[in-house]
Amino acid sequence: QVQLVESGGGLVQAGGSLRLSCAASGMIFSINDMGWYRQAPGKQRELVAVLPSGGSTNYADSVKGRFTISRDNANHMVDLQMNSLKPEDTAVYYCNAGIFTVGGLRSYWGKGTLVTVSS
């Protein structure tokens, strides 16, 4: 049973910083892409940043220059450093990973962590 567990969300003032972490656990053979998505109230879930196992990072235009994604392959973790936060960054942030298990490759999601940026 594979699980993704996020941590690090919370309330921060505009201009502040937060760091989100996500840890994958279970019977994992390997992990392809690891990334972060977010869903603001009344909006669809959107990509924030994704980091493939062997490729280049992809960021949403709205977070370029402010957010940095990184991963620890040995420990199956992915982090999102968020700087210069804006009220429009308020959302539930979800970790996502493409994980190989005995059953093959599948996309897994965490339950989400709430980030609230006050103005």
Side-chain angles (χ1 to χ4, degrees), residues 1-7 21-36 71-79 95-101 106 108-110:
Q1 194 82 343
V2 172
Q3 283 188 317
L4 297 181
V5 178
E6 303 103 334
S7 61
S21 293
C22 172
S25 62
M27 294 295 291
I28 297 171
F29 289 172
S30 64
I31 301 179
N32 278 1
D33 294 1
M34 296 191 83
W36 290 92
R71 62 189 281 178
D72 178 351
N73 291 323
N75 292 302
H76 301 323
M77 295 184 67
V78 61
D79 289 352
C95 177
N96 174 262
I99 300 177
F100 278 99
T101 67
R106 221 199 84 179
Y108 290 86
W109 292 91

PDB file of all heavy atoms in Angstrom, residues 1-7 21-36 71-79 95-101 106 108-110:
ATOM      1  N   GLN A   1       0.852  -1.188   0.000  1.00  0.00           N
ATOM      2  CA  GLN A   1       0.000   0.000   0.000  1.00  0.00           C
ATOM      3  C   GLN A   1       0.886   1.236   0.000  1.00  0.00           C
ATOM      4  O   GLN A   1       1.670   1.459   0.912  1.00  0.00           O
ATOM      5  CB  GLN A   1      -0.875  -0.002   1.259  1.00  0.00           C
ATOM      6  CG  GLN A   1      -2.013   0.968   1.217  1.00  0.00           C
ATOM      7  CD  GLN A   1      -3.202   0.406   0.462  1.00  0.00           C
ATOM      8  OE1 GLN A   1      -3.070  -0.558  -0.280  1.00  0.00           O
ATOM      9  NE2 GLN A   1      -4.353   1.006   0.642  1.00  0.00           N
ATOM     10  N   VAL A   2       0.780   2.043  -1.055  1.00  0.00           N
ATOM     11  CA  VAL A   2       1.573   3.265  -1.175  1.00  0.00           C
ATOM     12  C   VAL A   2       0.790   4.444  -0.616  1.00  0.00           C
ATOM     13  O   VAL A   2      -0.406   4.586  -0.865  1.00  0.00           O
ATOM     14  CB  VAL A   2       1.952   3.527  -2.632  1.00  0.00           C
ATOM     15  CG1 VAL A   2       2.604   4.890  -2.796  1.00  0.00           C
ATOM     16  CG2 VAL A   2       2.884   2.425  -3.142  1.00  0.00           C
ATOM     17  N   GLN A   3       1.459   5.272   0.131  1.00  0.00           N
ATOM     18  CA  GLN A   3       0.849   6.498   0.655  1.00  0.00           C
ATOM     19  C   GLN A   3       1.755   7.691   0.403  1.00  0.00           C
ATOM     20  O   GLN A   3       2.980   7.566   0.440  1.00  0.00           O
ATOM     21  CB  GLN A   3       0.629   6.382   2.161  1.00  0.00           C
ATOM     22  CG  GLN A   3      -0.549   5.541   2.581  1.00  0.00           C
ATOM     23  CD  GLN A   3      -0.809   5.635   4.070  1.00  0.00           C
ATOM     24  OE1 GLN A   3       0.111   5.607   4.880  1.00  0.00           O
ATOM     25  NE2 GLN A   3      -2.067   5.766   4.445  1.00  0.00           N
ATOM     26  N   LEU A   4       1.132   8.837   0.155  1.00  0.00           N
ATOM     27  CA  LEU A   4       1.828  10.115   0.095  1.00  0.00           C
ATOM     28  C   LEU A   4       1.277  10.969   1.224  1.00  0.00           C
ATOM     29  O   LEU A   4       0.061  11.144   1.333  1.00  0.00           O
ATOM     30  CB  LEU A   4       1.596  10.825  -1.238  1.00  0.00           C
ATOM     31  CG  LEU A   4       2.103  10.161  -2.506  1.00  0.00           C
ATOM     32  CD1 LEU A   4       1.799  11.034  -3.719  1.00  0.00           C
ATOM     33  CD2 LEU A   4       3.586   9.896  -2.426  1.00  0.00           C
ATOM     34  N   VAL A   5       2.165  11.503   2.037  1.00  0.00           N
ATOM     35  CA  VAL A   5       1.742  12.316   3.184  1.00  0.00           C
ATOM     36  C   VAL A   5       2.431  13.672   3.098  1.00  0.00           C
ATOM     37  O   VAL A   5       3.661  13.750   3.079  1.00  0.00           O
ATOM     38  CB  VAL A   5       2.077  11.630   4.516  1.00  0.00           C
ATOM     39  CG1 VAL A   5       1.667  12.519   5.679  1.00  0.00           C
ATOM     40  CG2 VAL A   5       1.378  10.273   4.609  1.00  0.00           C
ATOM     41  N   GLU A   6       1.605  14.724   3.047  1.00  0.00           N
ATOM     42  CA  GLU A   6       2.128  16.083   2.986  1.00  0.00           C
ATOM     43  C   GLU A   6       2.211  16.683   4.388  1.00  0.00           C
ATOM     44  O   GLU A   6       1.454  16.301   5.293  1.00  0.00           O
ATOM     45  CB  GLU A   6       1.233  16.991   2.138  1.00  0.00           C
ATOM     46  CG  GLU A   6       1.013  16.524   0.715  1.00  0.00           C
ATOM     47  CD  GLU A   6      -0.335  15.891   0.513  1.00  0.00           C
ATOM     48  OE1 GLU A   6      -0.902  15.372   1.491  1.00  0.00           O
ATOM     49  OE2 GLU A   6      -0.831  15.919  -0.633  1.00  0.00           O
ATOM     50  N   SER A   7       3.090  17.665   4.530  1.00  0.00           N
ATOM     51  CA  SER A   7       3.191  18.434   5.762  1.00  0.00           C
ATOM     52  C   SER A   7       3.724  19.816   5.435  1.00  0.00           C
ATOM     53  O   SER A   7       4.282  20.035   4.351  1.00  0.00           O
ATOM     54  CB  SER A   7       4.113  17.739   6.773  1.00  0.00           C
ATOM     55  OG  SER A   7       5.412  17.618   6.256  1.00  0.00           O
ATOM     56  N   SER A  21       6.450  19.617   2.511  1.00  0.00           N
ATOM     57  CA  SER A  21       7.161  18.360   2.300  1.00  0.00           C
ATOM     58  C   SER A  21       6.167  17.250   2.021  1.00  0.00           C
ATOM     59  O   SER A  21       5.036  17.287   2.514  1.00  0.00           O
ATOM     60  CB  SER A  21       7.998  18.001   3.528  1.00  0.00           C
ATOM     61  OG  SER A  21       9.051  18.904   3.704  1.00  0.00           O
ATOM     62  N   CYS A  22       6.615  16.281   1.262  1.00  0.00           N
ATOM     63  CA  CYS A  22       5.776  15.123   0.939  1.00  0.00           C
ATOM     64  C   CYS A  22       6.656  13.890   0.978  1.00  0.00           C
ATOM     65  O   CYS A  22       7.718  13.863   0.354  1.00  0.00           O
ATOM     66  CB  CYS A  22       5.152  15.291  -0.433  1.00  0.00           C
ATOM     67  SG  CYS A  22       4.280  13.825  -1.043  1.00  0.00           S
ATOM     68  N   ALA A  23       6.189  12.880   1.692  1.00  0.00           N
ATOM     69  CA  ALA A  23       6.936  11.634   1.793  1.00  0.00           C
ATOM     70  C   ALA A  23       6.089  10.489   1.254  1.00  0.00           C
ATOM     71  O   ALA A  23       4.920  10.338   1.653  1.00  0.00           O
ATOM     72  CB  ALA A  23       7.310  11.365   3.242  1.00  0.00           C
ATOM     73  N   ALA A  24       6.679   9.701   0.381  1.00  0.00           N
ATOM     74  CA  ALA A  24       6.026   8.505  -0.155  1.00  0.00           C
ATOM     75  C   ALA A  24       6.520   7.297   0.614  1.00  0.00           C
ATOM     76  O   ALA A  24       7.713   7.184   0.906  1.00  0.00           O
ATOM     77  CB  ALA A  24       6.336   8.351  -1.634  1.00  0.00           C
ATOM     78  N   SER A  25       5.590   6.401   0.939  1.00  0.00           N
ATOM     79  CA  SER A  25       5.973   5.193   1.667  1.00  0.00           C
ATOM     80  C   SER A  25       5.203   4.010   1.130  1.00  0.00           C
ATOM     81  O   SER A  25       4.168   4.160   0.476  1.00  0.00           O
ATOM     82  CB  SER A  25       5.693   5.379   3.160  1.00  0.00           C
ATOM     83  OG  SER A  25       4.311   5.573   3.396  1.00  0.00           O
ATOM     84  N   GLY A  26       5.709   2.821   1.428  1.00  0.00           N
ATOM     85  CA  GLY A  26       5.064   1.601   0.976  1.00  0.00           C
ATOM     86  C   GLY A  26       5.999   0.782   0.108  1.00  0.00           C
ATOM     87  O   GLY A  26       7.201   1.005   0.077  1.00  0.00           O
ATOM     88  N   MET A  27       5.417  -0.154  -0.618  1.00  0.00           N
ATOM     89  CA  MET A  27       6.205  -1.061  -1.452  1.00  0.00           C
ATOM     90  C   MET A  27       6.515  -0.386  -2.791  1.00  0.00           C
ATOM     91  O   MET A  27       5.877  -0.629  -3.805  1.00  0.00           O
ATOM     92  CB  MET A  27       5.441  -2.358  -1.685  1.00  0.00           C
ATOM     93  CG  MET A  27       5.245  -3.174  -0.413  1.00  0.00           C
ATOM     94  SD  MET A  27       6.813  -3.744   0.251  1.00  0.00           S
ATOM     95  CE  MET A  27       7.291  -4.927  -1.003  1.00  0.00           C
ATOM     96  N   ILE A  28       7.505   0.482  -2.774  1.00  0.00           N
ATOM     97  CA  ILE A  28       7.867   1.305  -3.922  1.00  0.00           C
ATOM     98  C   ILE A  28       9.079   0.712  -4.627  1.00  0.00           C
ATOM     99  O   ILE A  28      10.114   0.513  -4.002  1.00  0.00           O
ATOM    100  CB  ILE A  28       8.164   2.749  -3.472  1.00  0.00           C
ATOM    101  CG1 ILE A  28       6.911   3.383  -2.865  1.00  0.00           C
ATOM    102  CG2 ILE A  28       8.674   3.572  -4.646  1.00  0.00           C
ATOM    103  CD1 ILE A  28       7.167   4.727  -2.203  1.00  0.00           C
ATOM    104  N   PHE A  29       8.926   0.473  -5.935  1.00  0.00           N
ATOM    105  CA  PHE A  29      10.073   0.038  -6.723  1.00  0.00           C
ATOM    106  C   PHE A  29      10.878   1.254  -7.178  1.00  0.00           C
ATOM    107  O   PHE A  29      12.092   1.303  -7.030  1.00  0.00           O
ATOM    108  CB  PHE A  29       9.625  -0.779  -7.928  1.00  0.00           C
ATOM    109  CG  PHE A  29       9.084  -2.142  -7.595  1.00  0.00           C
ATOM    110  CD1 PHE A  29       8.497  -2.922  -8.580  1.00  0.00           C
ATOM    111  CD2 PHE A  29       9.153  -2.664  -6.316  1.00  0.00           C
ATOM    112  CE1 PHE A  29       7.995  -4.182  -8.288  1.00  0.00           C
ATOM    113  CE2 PHE A  29       8.657  -3.923  -5.998  1.00  0.00           C
ATOM    114  CZ  PHE A  29       8.083  -4.680  -6.999  1.00  0.00           C
ATOM    115  N   SER A  30      10.185   2.219  -7.766  1.00  0.00           N
ATOM    116  CA  SER A  30      10.830   3.451  -8.198  1.00  0.00           C
ATOM    117  C   SER A  30       9.757   4.517  -8.405  1.00  0.00           C
ATOM    118  O   SER A  30       8.574   4.210  -8.435  1.00  0.00           O
ATOM    119  CB  SER A  30      11.626   3.244  -9.490  1.00  0.00           C
ATOM    120  OG  SER A  30      10.772   2.889 -10.557  1.00  0.00           O
ATOM    121  N   ILE A  31      10.218   5.769  -8.526  1.00  0.00           N
ATOM    122  CA  ILE A  31       9.295   6.887  -8.703  1.00  0.00           C
ATOM    123  C   ILE A  31       9.698   7.682  -9.925  1.00  0.00           C
ATOM    124  O   ILE A  31      10.875   8.023 -10.083  1.00  0.00           O
ATOM    125  CB  ILE A  31       9.276   7.802  -7.456  1.00  0.00           C
ATOM    126  CG1 ILE A  31       8.860   7.004  -6.219  1.00  0.00           C
ATOM    127  CG2 ILE A  31       8.329   8.976  -7.671  1.00  0.00           C
ATOM    128  CD1 ILE A  31       8.835   7.819  -4.942  1.00  0.00           C
ATOM    129  N   ASN A  32       8.733   7.970 -10.792  1.00  0.00           N
ATOM    130  CA  ASN A  32       8.977   8.830 -11.950  1.00  0.00           C
ATOM    131  C   ASN A  32       8.823  10.294 -11.532  1.00  0.00           C
ATOM    132  O   ASN A  32       9.595  10.803 -10.745  1.00  0.00           O
ATOM    133  CB  ASN A  32       8.015   8.473 -13.076  1.00  0.00           C
ATOM    134  CG  ASN A  32       8.507   7.284 -13.863  1.00  0.00           C
ATOM    135  OD1 ASN A  32       9.550   6.713 -13.561  1.00  0.00           O
ATOM    136  ND2 ASN A  32       7.752   6.889 -14.866  1.00  0.00           N
ATOM    137  N   ASP A  33       7.812  10.953 -12.043  1.00  0.00           N
ATOM    138  CA  ASP A  33       7.586  12.357 -11.691  1.00  0.00           C
ATOM    139  C   ASP A  33       7.130  12.494 -10.247  1.00  0.00           C
ATOM    140  O   ASP A  33       6.384  11.663  -9.730  1.00  0.00           O
ATOM    141  CB  ASP A  33       6.487  12.963 -12.579  1.00  0.00           C
ATOM    142  CG  ASP A  33       6.897  13.037 -14.036  1.00  0.00           C
ATOM    143  OD1 ASP A  33       8.010  12.599 -14.363  1.00  0.00           O
ATOM    144  OD2 ASP A  33       6.084  13.519 -14.848  1.00  0.00           O
ATOM    145  N   MET A  34       7.571  13.562  -9.609  1.00  0.00           N
ATOM    146  CA  MET A  34       7.024  13.980  -8.316  1.00  0.00           C
ATOM    147  C   MET A  34       6.685  15.461  -8.451  1.00  0.00           C
ATOM    148  O   MET A  34       7.470  16.224  -9.031  1.00  0.00           O
ATOM    149  CB  MET A  34       8.011  13.778  -7.166  1.00  0.00           C
ATOM    150  CG  MET A  34       8.373  12.329  -6.916  1.00  0.00           C
ATOM    151  SD  MET A  34       9.283  12.096  -5.368  1.00  0.00           S
ATOM    152  CE  MET A  34       7.925  12.034  -4.176  1.00  0.00           C
ATOM    153  N   GLY A  35       5.552  15.836  -7.922  1.00  0.00           N
ATOM    154  CA  GLY A  35       5.167  17.225  -8.095  1.00  0.00           C
ATOM    155  C   GLY A  35       4.120  17.693  -7.111  1.00  0.00           C
ATOM    156  O   GLY A  35       3.667  16.940  -6.242  1.00  0.00           O
ATOM    157  N   TRP A  36       3.776  18.950  -7.282  1.00  0.00           N
ATOM    158  CA  TRP A  36       2.788  19.602  -6.428  1.00  0.00           C
ATOM    159  C   TRP A  36       1.711  20.241  -7.293  1.00  0.00           C
ATOM    160  O   TRP A  36       2.016  20.862  -8.320  1.00  0.00           O
ATOM    161  CB  TRP A  36       3.451  20.678  -5.563  1.00  0.00           C
ATOM    162  CG  TRP A  36       4.342  20.127  -4.513  1.00  0.00           C
ATOM    163  CD1 TRP A  36       5.681  19.890  -4.614  1.00  0.00           C
ATOM    164  CD2 TRP A  36       3.966  19.730  -3.193  1.00  0.00           C
ATOM    165  NE1 TRP A  36       6.161  19.363  -3.444  1.00  0.00           N
ATOM    166  CE2 TRP A  36       5.123  19.261  -2.553  1.00  0.00           C
ATOM    167  CE3 TRP A  36       2.760  19.728  -2.496  1.00  0.00           C
ATOM    168  CZ2 TRP A  36       5.105  18.788  -1.230  1.00  0.00           C
ATOM    169  CZ3 TRP A  36       2.745  19.269  -1.193  1.00  0.00           C
ATOM    170  CH2 TRP A  36       3.910  18.804  -0.568  1.00  0.00           C
ATOM    171  N   ARG A  71      13.706  17.272  -4.715  1.00  0.00           N
ATOM    172  CA  ARG A  71      13.343  15.924  -4.309  1.00  0.00           C
ATOM    173  C   ARG A  71      14.541  15.178  -3.748  1.00  0.00           C
ATOM    174  O   ARG A  71      15.685  15.443  -4.120  1.00  0.00           O
ATOM    175  CB  ARG A  71      12.677  15.143  -5.448  1.00  0.00           C
ATOM    176  CG  ARG A  71      13.505  14.908  -6.657  1.00  0.00           C
ATOM    177  CD  ARG A  71      12.686  14.322  -7.806  1.00  0.00           C
ATOM    178  NE  ARG A  71      12.456  12.890  -7.638  1.00  0.00           N
ATOM    179  CZ  ARG A  71      11.742  12.137  -8.467  1.00  0.00           C
ATOM    180  NH1 ARG A  71      11.167  12.705  -9.524  1.00  0.00           N
ATOM    181  NH2 ARG A  71      11.589  10.844  -8.269  1.00  0.00           N
ATOM    182  N   ASP A  72      14.246  14.269  -2.858  1.00  0.00           N
ATOM    183  CA  ASP A  72      15.230  13.381  -2.253  1.00  0.00           C
ATOM    184  C   ASP A  72      14.873  11.977  -2.693  1.00  0.00           C
ATOM    185  O   ASP A  72      13.969  11.351  -2.121  1.00  0.00           O
ATOM    186  CB  ASP A  72      15.187  13.533  -0.729  1.00  0.00           C
ATOM    187  CG  ASP A  72      16.138  12.612   0.001  1.00  0.00           C
ATOM    188  OD1 ASP A  72      16.724  11.718  -0.648  1.00  0.00           O
ATOM    189  OD2 ASP A  72      16.290  12.775   1.205  1.00  0.00           O
ATOM    190  N   ASN A  73      15.540  11.498  -3.713  1.00  0.00           N
ATOM    191  CA  ASN A  73      15.164  10.214  -4.293  1.00  0.00           C
ATOM    192  C   ASN A  73      15.401   9.054  -3.324  1.00  0.00           C
ATOM    193  O   ASN A  73      14.626   8.090  -3.305  1.00  0.00           O
ATOM    194  CB  ASN A  73      15.935   9.978  -5.592  1.00  0.00           C
ATOM    195  CG  ASN A  73      15.493  10.918  -6.691  1.00  0.00           C
ATOM    196  OD1 ASN A  73      14.318  11.241  -6.822  1.00  0.00           O
ATOM    197  ND2 ASN A  73      16.446  11.365  -7.503  1.00  0.00           N
ATOM    198  N   ALA A  74      16.443   9.148  -2.541  1.00  0.00           N
ATOM    199  CA  ALA A  74      16.759   8.049  -1.632  1.00  0.00           C
ATOM    200  C   ALA A  74      15.663   7.844  -0.593  1.00  0.00           C
ATOM    201  O   ALA A  74      15.409   6.715  -0.152  1.00  0.00           O
ATOM    202  CB  ALA A  74      18.094   8.313  -0.943  1.00  0.00           C
ATOM    203  N   ASN A  75      15.019   8.946  -0.211  1.00  0.00           N
ATOM    204  CA  ASN A  75      13.991   8.877   0.826  1.00  0.00           C
ATOM    205  C   ASN A  75      12.582   9.078   0.286  1.00  0.00           C
ATOM    206  O   ASN A  75      11.637   9.192   1.063  1.00  0.00           O
ATOM    207  CB  ASN A  75      14.280   9.914   1.908  1.00  0.00           C
ATOM    208  CG  ASN A  75      15.525   9.577   2.704  1.00  0.00           C
ATOM    209  OD1 ASN A  75      15.613   8.509   3.304  1.00  0.00           O
ATOM    210  ND2 ASN A  75      16.506  10.474   2.687  1.00  0.00           N
ATOM    211  N   HIS A  76      12.459   9.092  -1.040  1.00  0.00           N
ATOM    212  CA  HIS A  76      11.137   9.214  -1.687  1.00  0.00           C
ATOM    213  C   HIS A  76      10.405  10.465  -1.204  1.00  0.00           C
ATOM    214  O   HIS A  76       9.228  10.395  -0.798  1.00  0.00           O
ATOM    215  CB  HIS A  76      10.282   7.976  -1.403  1.00  0.00           C
ATOM    216  CG  HIS A  76      10.890   6.689  -1.868  1.00  0.00           C
ATOM    217  ND1 HIS A  76      11.615   6.558  -3.030  1.00  0.00           N
ATOM    218  CD2 HIS A  76      10.885   5.466  -1.308  1.00  0.00           C
ATOM    219  CE1 HIS A  76      12.021   5.315  -3.163  1.00  0.00           C
ATOM    220  NE2 HIS A  76      11.599   4.630  -2.129  1.00  0.00           N
ATOM    221  N   MET A  77      11.091  11.590  -1.198  1.00  0.00           N
ATOM    222  CA  MET A  77      10.480  12.825  -0.717  1.00  0.00           C
ATOM    223  C   MET A  77      10.571  13.921  -1.767  1.00  0.00           C
ATOM    224  O   MET A  77      11.491  13.943  -2.595  1.00  0.00           O
ATOM    225  CB  MET A  77      11.166  13.294   0.565  1.00  0.00           C
ATOM    226  CG  MET A  77      10.983  12.356   1.743  1.00  0.00           C
ATOM    227  SD  MET A  77      11.703  13.005   3.250  1.00  0.00           S
ATOM    228  CE  MET A  77      10.621  14.410   3.556  1.00  0.00           C
ATOM    229  N   VAL A  78       9.604  14.816  -1.719  1.00  0.00           N
ATOM    230  CA  VAL A  78       9.629  16.001  -2.567  1.00  0.00           C
ATOM    231  C   VAL A  78       9.195  17.192  -1.729  1.00  0.00           C
ATOM    232  O   VAL A  78       8.249  17.089  -0.930  1.00  0.00           O
ATOM    233  CB  VAL A  78       8.734  15.836  -3.813  1.00  0.00           C
ATOM    234  CG1 VAL A  78       7.278  15.606  -3.439  1.00  0.00           C
ATOM    235  CG2 VAL A  78       8.884  17.019  -4.752  1.00  0.00           C
ATOM    236  N   ASP A  79       9.920  18.292  -1.870  1.00  0.00           N
ATOM    237  CA  ASP A  79       9.627  19.507  -1.125  1.00  0.00           C
ATOM    238  C   ASP A  79       9.249  20.635  -2.067  1.00  0.00           C
ATOM    239  O   ASP A  79       9.627  20.622  -3.249  1.00  0.00           O
ATOM    240  CB  ASP A  79      10.846  19.944  -0.301  1.00  0.00           C
ATOM    241  CG  ASP A  79      11.121  19.037   0.877  1.00  0.00           C
ATOM    242  OD1 ASP A  79      10.287  18.154   1.154  1.00  0.00           O
ATOM    243  OD2 ASP A  79      12.178  19.208   1.512  1.00  0.00           O
ATOM    244  N   CYS A  95       0.361  16.714  -3.098  1.00  0.00           N
ATOM    245  CA  CYS A  95       1.535  16.037  -3.632  1.00  0.00           C
ATOM    246  C   CYS A  95       1.077  14.950  -4.597  1.00  0.00           C
ATOM    247  O   CYS A  95       0.052  14.283  -4.362  1.00  0.00           O
ATOM    248  CB  CYS A  95       2.306  15.423  -2.465  1.00  0.00           C
ATOM    249  SG  CYS A  95       3.757  14.475  -2.924  1.00  0.00           S
ATOM    250  N   ASN A  96       1.818  14.775  -5.680  1.00  0.00           N
ATOM    251  CA  ASN A  96       1.511  13.748  -6.667  1.00  0.00           C
ATOM    252  C   ASN A  96       2.786  13.050  -7.093  1.00  0.00           C
ATOM    253  O   ASN A  96       3.844  13.693  -7.206  1.00  0.00           O
ATOM    254  CB  ASN A  96       0.826  14.380  -7.883  1.00  0.00           C
ATOM    255  CG  ASN A  96       0.617  13.386  -9.008  1.00  0.00           C
ATOM    256  OD1 ASN A  96       1.402  13.328  -9.936  1.00  0.00           O
ATOM    257  ND2 ASN A  96      -0.443  12.607  -8.909  1.00  0.00           N
ATOM    258  N   ALA A  97       2.693  11.759  -7.328  1.00  0.00           N
ATOM    259  CA  ALA A  97       3.867  11.024  -7.799  1.00  0.00           C
ATOM    260  C   ALA A  97       3.445   9.856  -8.670  1.00  0.00           C
ATOM    261  O   ALA A  97       2.422   9.210  -8.409  1.00  0.00           O
ATOM    262  CB  ALA A  97       4.674  10.518  -6.608  1.00  0.00           C
ATOM    263  N   GLY A  98       4.233   9.595  -9.691  1.00  0.00           N
ATOM    264  CA  GLY A  98       4.063   8.414 -10.519  1.00  0.00           C
ATOM    265  C   GLY A  98       4.971   7.331  -9.976  1.00  0.00           C
ATOM    266  O   GLY A  98       6.192   7.464 -10.050  1.00  0.00           O
ATOM    267  N   ILE A  99       4.383   6.298  -9.420  1.00  0.00           N
ATOM    268  CA  ILE A  99       5.135   5.309  -8.655  1.00  0.00           C
ATOM    269  C   ILE A  99       4.979   3.910  -9.234  1.00  0.00           C
ATOM    270  O   ILE A  99       3.861   3.467  -9.537  1.00  0.00           O
ATOM    271  CB  ILE A  99       4.679   5.315  -7.181  1.00  0.00           C
ATOM    272  CG1 ILE A  99       4.924   6.702  -6.561  1.00  0.00           C
ATOM    273  CG2 ILE A  99       5.393   4.230  -6.383  1.00  0.00           C
ATOM    274  CD1 ILE A  99       4.439   6.838  -5.136  1.00  0.00           C
ATOM    275  N   PHE A 100       6.113   3.253  -9.384  1.00  0.00           N
ATOM    276  CA  PHE A 100       6.130   1.847  -9.800  1.00  0.00           C
ATOM    277  C   PHE A 100       6.047   0.973  -8.559  1.00  0.00           C
ATOM    278  O   PHE A 100       6.867   1.074  -7.639  1.00  0.00           O
ATOM    279  CB  PHE A 100       7.423   1.521 -10.536  1.00  0.00           C
ATOM    280  CG  PHE A 100       7.438   1.903 -11.975  1.00  0.00           C
ATOM    281  CD1 PHE A 100       8.054   3.066 -12.390  1.00  0.00           C
ATOM    282  CD2 PHE A 100       6.837   1.095 -12.938  1.00  0.00           C
ATOM    283  CE1 PHE A 100       8.073   3.427 -13.731  1.00  0.00           C
ATOM    284  CE2 PHE A 100       6.853   1.443 -14.276  1.00  0.00           C
ATOM    285  CZ  PHE A 100       7.472   2.620 -14.671  1.00  0.00           C
ATOM    286  N   THR A 101       5.045   0.082  -8.554  1.00  0.00           N
ATOM    287  CA  THR A 101       4.935  -0.936  -7.512  1.00  0.00           C
ATOM    288  C   THR A 101       4.830  -2.297  -8.203  1.00  0.00           C
ATOM    289  O   THR A 101       4.966  -2.392  -9.425  1.00  0.00           O
ATOM    290  CB  THR A 101       3.705  -0.708  -6.625  1.00  0.00           C
ATOM    291  OG1 THR A 101       2.524  -0.935  -7.428  1.00  0.00           O
ATOM    292  CG2 THR A 101       3.666   0.709  -6.077  1.00  0.00           C
ATOM    293  N   ARG A 106       1.533   3.786 -11.454  1.00  0.00           N
ATOM    294  CA  ARG A 106       0.265   4.433 -11.141  1.00  0.00           C
ATOM    295  C   ARG A 106       0.522   5.804 -10.550  1.00  0.00           C
ATOM    296  O   ARG A 106       1.576   6.035  -9.959  1.00  0.00           O
ATOM    297  CB  ARG A 106      -0.505   3.586 -10.114  1.00  0.00           C
ATOM    298  CG  ARG A 106      -1.993   3.449 -10.330  1.00  0.00           C
ATOM    299  CD  ARG A 106      -2.670   3.010  -9.034  1.00  0.00           C
ATOM    300  NE  ARG A 106      -2.954   4.149  -8.183  1.00  0.00           N
ATOM    301  CZ  ARG A 106      -3.565   4.050  -7.000  1.00  0.00           C
ATOM    302  NH1 ARG A 106      -3.901   2.875  -6.530  1.00  0.00           N
ATOM    303  NH2 ARG A 106      -3.806   5.118  -6.276  1.00  0.00           N
ATOM    304  N   TYR A 108      -0.264   8.546  -7.805  1.00  0.00           N
ATOM    305  CA  TYR A 108      -0.750   8.597  -6.438  1.00  0.00           C
ATOM    306  C   TYR A 108      -0.861  10.052  -5.982  1.00  0.00           C
ATOM    307  O   TYR A 108      -0.053  10.903  -6.390  1.00  0.00           O
ATOM    308  CB  TYR A 108       0.190   7.849  -5.487  1.00  0.00           C
ATOM    309  CG  TYR A 108       0.172   6.360  -5.669  1.00  0.00           C
ATOM    310  CD1 TYR A 108       0.983   5.749  -6.618  1.00  0.00           C
ATOM    311  CD2 TYR A 108      -0.654   5.552  -4.890  1.00  0.00           C
ATOM    312  CE1 TYR A 108       0.972   4.381  -6.793  1.00  0.00           C
ATOM    313  CE2 TYR A 108      -0.671   4.181  -5.057  1.00  0.00           C
ATOM    314  CZ  TYR A 108       0.145   3.597  -6.011  1.00  0.00           C
ATOM    315  OH  TYR A 108       0.121   2.228  -6.176  1.00  0.00           O
ATOM    316  N   TRP A 109      -1.845  10.299  -5.090  1.00  0.00           N
ATOM    317  CA  TRP A 109      -2.073  11.635  -4.549  1.00  0.00           C
ATOM    318  C   TRP A 109      -2.058  11.603  -3.032  1.00  0.00           C
ATOM    319  O   TRP A 109      -2.525  10.637  -2.405  1.00  0.00           O
ATOM    320  CB  TRP A 109      -3.441  12.166  -4.992  1.00  0.00           C
ATOM    321  CG  TRP A 109      -3.534  12.457  -6.444  1.00  0.00           C
ATOM    322  CD1 TRP A 109      -3.933  11.601  -7.434  1.00  0.00           C
ATOM    323  CD2 TRP A 109      -3.229  13.700  -7.093  1.00  0.00           C
ATOM    324  NE1 TRP A 109      -3.895  12.236  -8.647  1.00  0.00           N
ATOM    325  CE2 TRP A 109      -3.463  13.521  -8.470  1.00  0.00           C
ATOM    326  CE3 TRP A 109      -2.776  14.941  -6.641  1.00  0.00           C
ATOM    327  CZ2 TRP A 109      -3.275  14.533  -9.409  1.00  0.00           C
ATOM    328  CZ3 TRP A 109      -2.591  15.958  -7.579  1.00  0.00           C
ATOM    329  CH2 TRP A 109      -2.835  15.752  -8.935  1.00  0.00           C
ATOM    330  N   GLY A 110      -1.539  12.673  -2.445  1.00  0.00           N
ATOM    331  CA  GLY A 110      -1.703  12.868  -1.019  1.00  0.00           C
ATOM    332  C   GLY A 110      -3.072  13.462  -0.726  1.00  0.00           C
ATOM    333  O   GLY A 110      -3.834  13.790  -1.643  1.00  0.00           O
TER     334      GLY A 110
END
